[in-house]
Amino acid sequence: MATKPDIMISDGPKGMTPIVKTVVRFAMGIIFMFGWYIILYGHLTPGGGFAGGVILACGYVILTLAFGKELGLRKLSDMGASIIDNTAALLFAVVPMFGFLFGWYFLNFLDKGRPFQLFSAGNIPLYNIFIGFKVTASLFAIFMALSIFGRFVSKLVDEEEEG
Amino acid sequence: MILYFLTLVLFVMGVYCLIAKKNIVKKIIGLVIIDYAINLFIILIGYRRDGVAPILFKDMPMEEFARHSVDPLPQALVLTSIVIGLGVLALQVAICLRLYEKYKTFNMSEINRLKG
Amino acid sequence: MQGLYPLFTAIPLAAAFLNLLVTKVNKKAADYIAFVVAAVLAVMAVRMLFEAPFSYRVGGWSAPWGILLVSDGMSALMLTLINVVSLLAIVYSLSYMTAYTAKPKYYSLFLLMIAGMNGVVMTGDLFNLFVFLEIASIASYALVGFGTEHEELEASFKYLILGTVASTAILFGIAFLYSMTGTLNLPDMARQLEIVGINRAVAFVIALFIMGFGLKASTVPFHAWLPDAHPSAPAPISAMLSGVLIKALGVYTIARIMFNVIGPNGMVSSLLMFLGALSMVVGVLLALGQSDFKRMLAYSSISQIGYITMGFGLGLNPAVPPAVAALGLFGALYHLINHAAFKSCLFLCSGAFEYRTGTRNRFEMGGLMRRMPVTGAACSIASLSIAGVPPFNGFWSKLVIIMAFMQAGYYVYGSVAVLVALMTLMTFIKLQSSVLFGQLPARFAAVKEAPVAMVVPLVILAMLCIGLGIAYPLFGESVLQAARDSLLDKLAYMGYIIGG
């Protein structure tokens, strides 16, 4: 991995003005905490894996916008995003198959617990977490592919045509 | 009724944007507007004035529950449809970018190598 | 098999993501994963043909609340069609796709498309159908543009825009039906619609569905995307799109909803018959003048889909005697499987010719029969089948459809079908004479036969073209009639809500 610590990149000349960087540093923790709250309490309150995952992905997007792509990619590289994305989707496809052991596909076979507790509702929090991971990773990957890598590809094409 | 009419207006605006604009980015925006109009329409199906959340408690009479609770299914449908819309939108924008790389234009009438 | 029915979507879905993970470590694994998954699915699907009808409750939730999967004759037929053709297309891809980069992504999209199509034909829930339809559609949009050259991207974008409009229309129709019946479960919806009857709102929904699903099936007023999209895709994908995708997403869904949910209806019947006849005529007229091999095949797909739509239209007609309506429907189903066999074969042949000669223009080819005998033979068998020459399968299904129309007293539609059959023959004779026979251009003198992995699927499909015609007694009674009866028996379909 790169040797430079995060703080050197974040204080470097890349990215936006110090005002934005300072605000983002404050907001970052809150955004991630809120995203995780939405994912983990998805079976009790409005929200869930998708909404929470979008919030988390927005956290990474803000990070990238404020500090430049170097830091964003170091926190969640495109390879890492792809692996998280596929693993979460695979788990989401495989866990319902365990339901066959209990009779039906997609059966909610874990203990339901008491209503309105954090650990309740059987499989549903598990699915929310998978979806949360998947949406975070894939939205950030889409953002990267469309903004940074997209521009990069066009530049490559330009160079090819010129040279 | 006025809400349904406004949804229809939104839908027609989307269709106009899709048909009349030459720019492919604007066409994509038109499709997104159409998508949102349909989503609003589905939400309106389940809407009920002064409705309560559709959670049945033990001490609640069934008939009163059926009369006052909103229909939860359209909301679930809209969530799914939004996610699908997001997927389609990402693909549209990606293809749009690649088209721009190849043709150096967003104008649909200049992207015409294939003939009918 | 009954307990494992959901595996038809679960396996390809899981394999699509597993594939992308495994190929991060080993690039070669993609071929094996895709082949093994397709082979397992094909074997399972063929076994489904021998199962009695049943319904499956996903998650153990009973019918009007949970999602219901239904397996009857029609679903089993479509499942077999989809999985067998996709197995052959994947075998073909093993060597054809070496010319492209990013093979793992190709296989993942392919598996997603299979998962979507299997889901569409299995499900008994309208919104679930929409979701699977979108999965298959999104995968196919991406696969059409897989070459990422000028033409591919343009075709993909056109397909994407029109496909999204179609999906929007379908979603709008689903919302309307839900607001009228208060359910999304198809058997339950059929029961509620019996009470509501065919009012103006149902007629509007029918119009939306015919537009939406008709666009996916590319019947004529909605066909503009197909002649661009099918030739631009890689050859195995063209075979999948023409062979099964337009049938699973378009024709099957129209049939299922019109027959089993809304029920026989004179208005829908005459509309479908008219659209079918229009597709037949327009498709074959446009096919005649094409110079691009694959584009010619794409236009001929529109024309052949017209036969199927027209047969379904006759089956829906309440005014003709039930036996005649059943005969029309039977012909349509028979033509549906035949078209999957010969059109996939033709598209794969065109891919093999392109792979060796590097061109798709049929006027630049010629005399290839001598250089590529096996591919050439498969191509001529499939051409003769689609043109309706007697011993092959296309002849029998067209004969059944024409006979049904003549018996029903629709002499105009019947004669149009005869005329279009003759023009199809003309189209494919032109194709044969310019590609397979005649003068071999000097630059193709060194052309060799296609690789084994590409030839095997061609031979199997060509044998299917002959077998489906000659071995009719083996499958006609059991498979086709079970599919026909499952579409005609609306009461049995409504009964799935109780069972399962």
Side-chain angles (χ1 to χ4, degrees), chain C residues 339-461:
Chain C
H339 182 249
F342 51 63
K343 191 49 67 69
S344 310
C345 186
L346 282 169
F347 266 115
L348 293 183
C349 286
S350 77
F353 290 133
E354 192 189 354
Y355 187 80
R356 283 302 186 207
T357 63
T359 179
R360 290 208 311 247
N361 190 332
R362 67 186 173 94
F363 296 118
E364 289 175 16
M365 301 184 198
L368 287 171
M369 192 68 164
R370 268 165 281 156
R371 310 301 316 173
M372 303 170 75
V374 184
T375 315
C379 184
S380 4
I381 290 173
S383 300
L384 291 174
S385 303
I386 194 173
V389 174
F392 299 106
N393 58 2
F395 169 74
W396 302 107
S397 49
K398 283 183 188 176
L399 185 71
V400 172
I401 292 177
I402 292 165
M403 258 165 50
F405 271 90
M406 288 306 183
Q407 281 183 20
Y410 289 105
Y411 297 110
V412 177
Y413 285 137
S415 11
V416 167
V418 175
L419 196 71
V420 171
L422 291 177
M423 284 164 79
T424 311
L425 182 63
M426 216 155 83
T427 316
F428 280 88
I429 285 174
K430 277 174 74 177
L431 186 70
Q432 297 276 304
S433 63
S434 57
V435 174
L436 293 179
F437 304 104
Q439 196 63 41
L440 183 73
R443 66 187 173 115
F444 296 147
V447 164
K448 290 199 299 283
E449 181 59 79
V452 181
M454 286 163 73
V455 169
V456 170
L458 289 178
V459 173
I460 294 176
L461 281 170

Side-chain angles (χ1 to χ4, degrees), chain A residues 79 82 86 89-90 100 104-105 107, chain C residues 3 6 10 14 20 24 56-57 59:
Chain A
M79 185 68 165
S82 168
N86 290 319
L90 185 62
F100 281 124
W104 300 99
Y105 181 66
L107 187 70
Chain C
L20 285 179
K24 296 239 184 305
Y56 186 94
R57 290 178 280 150

Side-chain angles (χ1 to χ4, degrees), chain B residues 18 24 31 34 38 41 45 71 73 77 80 84 88 92 95 98 102-103 111-116, chain C residues 127 134 138 141 148 150-151 153-157 160-161 164-165 168 171-172 175 178-179 228 295 299:
Chain B
L18 179 64
I24 52 179
L31 278 175
I34 294 178
I38 304 283
F41 175 74
I45 290 172
D71 188 352
L73 199 60
L77 302 190
T80 316
I84 292 172
V88 176
Q92 282 166 345
I95 291 180
R98 298 304 287 266
K102 295 286 177 195
Y103 288 88
I111 302 174
N112 56 357
R113 291 215 182 174
L114 296 168
K115 291 281 190 299
Chain C
F127 196 75
E134 281 295 277
I138 291 175
Y141 304 147
T148 60
H150 291 80
E151 286 84 3
L153 288 170
E154 188 187 335
S156 175
F157 194 73
L160 184 49
I161 295 283
T164 314
V165 171
T168 315
L171 186 60
F172 202 18
Y178 176 73
S179 71
D228 291 339
R295 188 172 271 265
Y299 275 116

Side-chain angles (χ1 to χ4, degrees), chain C residues 67-122:
Chain C
I67 289 172
L68 198 69
L69 302 180
V70 174
S71 164
D72 55 10
M74 186 67 189
S75 295
L77 178 73
M78 291 302 295
L79 272 179
T80 314
L81 205 63
I82 291 167
N83 291 301
V84 169
V85 175
S86 48
L87 172 64
L88 296 174
I90 279 183
V91 171
Y92 185 90
S93 312
L94 295 179
S95 60
Y96 182 84
M97 290 307 289
T98 44
Y100 290 76
T101 53
K103 234 176 155 186
K105 295 197 176 72
Y106 165 81
Y107 285 121
S108 282
L109 286 169
F110 200 120
L111 289 169
L112 278 180
M113 193 164 85
I114 297 174
M117 285 189 293
N118 282 348
V120 166
V121 300
M122 277 159 62

